Amino acid sequence: MSNLLLIIRLLLLLSTSAPPSLGLAHQSTSISAFRHCLQNHNRSDAVLYLPTNSSFLPVLNAYIHNKRFIGPATAKPLAIVTPTHESHVQATVLCAKANNLQIRTRSGGHDYEGLSYRSPSPFILLDLNNLRRIELDVETETAWVEAGATLGELYYAIANKTNTLAFPAGVCPSIGVGGHFAGGGYGNLLRKYGLSVDNVIDARVVNARGEILNRSTMGDLFWAIRGGGGASFGVILSWKVKLVRVPEVVTAFQVDRWLDQGASDIFYRWQQVSTNLSKDIFIRAMPQVVTTPENKTKVMISFVGEYLGRTKDSFPELGFREVDGKEMSWVETVLFWAMIPVNKPLEVLLNRKSEPSYFKSKSDYVTEIIPREALPGIWDALLKVGPCFTQWNPYGGRMAEIDTDEAAYAHRAGYLFKVQYYVWWVEDGEEAEARHVGALDALHEAVTPYVTKEPREAYLNYRDLENGVNSVEKPEWSKAKVYGEKYFKGHFERLAKIKAEFDPENFFRDQQSIPPFPHSH
């Protein structure tokens, strides 16, 4: 009887599954047709890399920052296109769509879950790293920045022209602006000037029909790509941004405190004051697990911040002294926040690549002060994770003034902080990954009573597949709502309606993309 069941199961399998060789043959035909289509559009295949090219893996791996997605277990693209002109992007979209191939678009490669360069379905990788021109106009205080440029390149370009202009964005220089801006763009100037997307004034986007749209022709899409992500709607080619003014001297500081030095009390007080301080002040709290010289693991809380001006406040409420501050130019604070010695030549900001590591990240939003008596339990959970850090980033200031509906980014007034949890490890293998990710999940669980609920909200740029996933081949609205409402709150439905207008066939999609709003609703 058992042999009969085995035979039946094998017959069922053979009747419902195509032979592997057929799948490969179909892929080979598709990629051949894609290649010919691309040649017809571009008159050249110089920007195309196939798996048979010796440069294929180096190009693929060059901008993968998470080692979890390097290696044979991660599905590789059928081809990589590295456009050097906007028309190459248009051709890639049209040719992929014509041959029923998905695309993944990568600017800096910092996508925490690697969705910008991996997919469970056959796909083309559109790598924008060669589209990185920056056109700066100091007189109008604006800049056009191509999506493949990094934050470091943008900061360097600004600093080379002026020491009184800046741009509000993240602290990691190797992040590509394409995805960073589209997801919101969080940085240490947000209490003064808001997010990156709050300072975007135009954009150029390739839609699913291969057309290039700008602000005057894209309508509501301009609202959507400012915090709703870009990968669901098209390929963002470039952003026009409004630069912001900063003083010639900025004060930066970092004060570290162990728990036995009263760090927990300072943290509790930080919760009360950090969002109510002057807009010129930003203080991040970083509870982290540190290994001491005696090889013991302890919790240390670093308070890292900046003041837009000369040393003025000693922050006595937090136990900071005036001597803790160091005066420097704004671009030197860029090095400071990136943990680069401030006396290094600014050319260090042009380093586009960073050494990949194993890591996993999660995020939360907090709207109420966490009780003092709850903090020891959080620190205990933190210790169990091992090498890790958390970043508690204050809101208030300009973030509380910008209307919630101004852009797709939905977390504005009423929020005290955004939290990032980040764990890393060096051991190879699935067992090590499961252990470290499991420990991070336990920390995330320990904080559950003190963060937003129904849904538990998260930040799109701290991508986390545990927030929910969808099928790439047959996406479901109910599954999309799970992660969509965590990332976008009440804006999710509006984003889905804009998606239905600009990409009704859902060509641009991944495991956490926004699907078109269903007609039945």
Side-chain angles (χ1 to χ4, degrees), residues 7 27 63 69 80 83-84 146 153 161 167-168 190 202 231 278 287 293 298-299 313 321 360 370 384 406 438 495 520:
I7 292 171
Q27 289 181 20
Y63 292 97
F69 310 122
I80 303 171
T84 56
E146 288 192 315
E153 289 169 341
K161 291 285 186 72
F167 189 72
L190 92 164
D202 203 345
S278 160
K298 298 175 63 177
V299 172
D313 293 283
R321 305 162 300 165
K360 170 71 178 180
I370 299 174
K384 292 175 183 176
E406 178 67 24
L495 286 165
S520 59

Side-chain angles (χ1 to χ4, degrees), residues 144 150 174 190 217-218 281 441 510:
W144 271 104
T150 64
S174 58
L190 92 164
T217 57
M218 72 174 76
I281 302 170
D441 288 340
D510 58 42

Side-chain angles (χ1 to χ4, degrees), residues 45-53 55-56 59 77-82 130:
D45 63 351
V47 296
L48 181 69
Y49 296 88
L50 299 174
T52 52
N53 301 138
S55 299
F56 179 84
V59 170
L78 299 179
I80 303 171
V81 181
T82 56
N130 287 327

Side-chain angles (χ1 to χ4, degrees), residues 61 227 238 249 306 352 364 428 448 458 465:
N61 294 336
S238 56
V249 176
E306 69 181 27
R352 296 178 58 85
D364 267 319
D428 297 325
T448 301
L465 291 185

Side-chain angles (χ1 to χ4, degrees), residues 48-173:
L48 181 69
Y49 296 88
L50 299 174
T52 52
N53 301 138
S54 59
S55 299
F56 179 84
L57 281 179
V59 170
L60 174 64
N61 294 336
Y63 292 97
I64 295 181
H65 300 278
N66 196 336
K67 287 181 72 174
R68 293 167 59 206
F69 310 122
I70 296 178
T74 299
K76 305 296 185 289
L78 299 179
I80 303 171
V81 181
T82 56
T84 56
H85 189 271
E86 290 180 344
S87 64
H88 298 163
V89 176
Q90 294 174 279
T92 301
V93 169
L94 291 172
C95 293
K97 191 175 181 183
N99 290 283
N100 200 29
L101 294 169
Q102 293 183 23
I103 67 169
R104 291 290 181 272
T105 305
R106 179 171 74 176
S107 52
H110 277 263
D111 186 322
Y112 281 1
E113 295 284 8
L115 300 191
S116 64
Y117 52 81
R118 68 186 184 103
S119 171
S121 300
F123 72 104
I124 304 296
L125 173 59
L126 182 59
D127 192 316
L128 303 180
N129 77 88
N130 287 327
L131 293 179
R132 50 174 132 159
R133 288 180 303 168
I134 299 171
E135 298 176 2
L136 199 72
D137 189 330
V138 174
E139 287 189 9
T140 61
E141 300 181 357
T142 61
W144 271 104
V145 190
E146 288 192 315
T150 64
L151 296 183
E153 289 169 341
L154 174 58
Y155 297 154
Y156 179 84
I158 295 171
N160 263 348
K161 291 285 186 72
T162 171
N163 60 358
T164 57
L165 292 176
F167 189 72
V171 302
C172 183

Side-chain angles (χ1 to χ4, degrees), residues 428-494:
D428 297 325
E430 294 180 0
E431 189 278 330
E433 178 173 330
R435 185 173 71 254
H436 289 283
V437 172
L440 183 68
D441 288 340
L443 170 62
H444 195 240
E445 181 64 27
V447 184
T448 301
Y450 316 110
V451 300
T452 54
K453 301 172 180 65
E454 297 181 359
R456 184 172 186 170
E457 298 162 27
Y459 179 39
L460 179 65
N461 278 356
Y462 296 157
R463 178 88 72 180
D464 178 10
L465 291 185
E466 292 179 15
N467 286 324
V469 295
N470 218 334
S471 166
V472 174
E473 295 302 328
K474 295 182 179 180
E476 300 175 34
W477 175 254
S478 59
K479 291 182 178 179
K481 283 186 68 176
V482 173
Y483 57 80
E485 292 180 351
K486 291 178 182 179
Y487 289 135
F488 312 117
K489 298 179 57 186
H491 287 168
F492 172 64
E493 190 170 300
R494 180 177 173 184

Side-chain angles (χ1 to χ4, degrees), residues 272-320:
Q272 297 173 314
V273 304
S274 60
T275 55
N276 297 314
L277 295 170
S278 160
K279 293 180 186 178
D280 293 329
I281 302 170
F282 177 89
I283 305 175
R284 166 185 287 170
M286 288 186 60
Q288 56 199 300
V289 176
V290 177
T291 302
T292 69
E294 298 78 29
N295 205 32
K296 293 181 179 180
T297 54
K298 298 175 63 177
V299 172
M300 181 179 75
I301 305 181
S302 296
F303 298 90
V304 191
E306 69 181 27
Y307 171 70
L308 295 176
R310 293 188 179 276
T311 302
K312 177 180 178 183
D313 293 283
S314 56
F315 312 118
E317 294 177 302
L318 302 179
F320 303 164

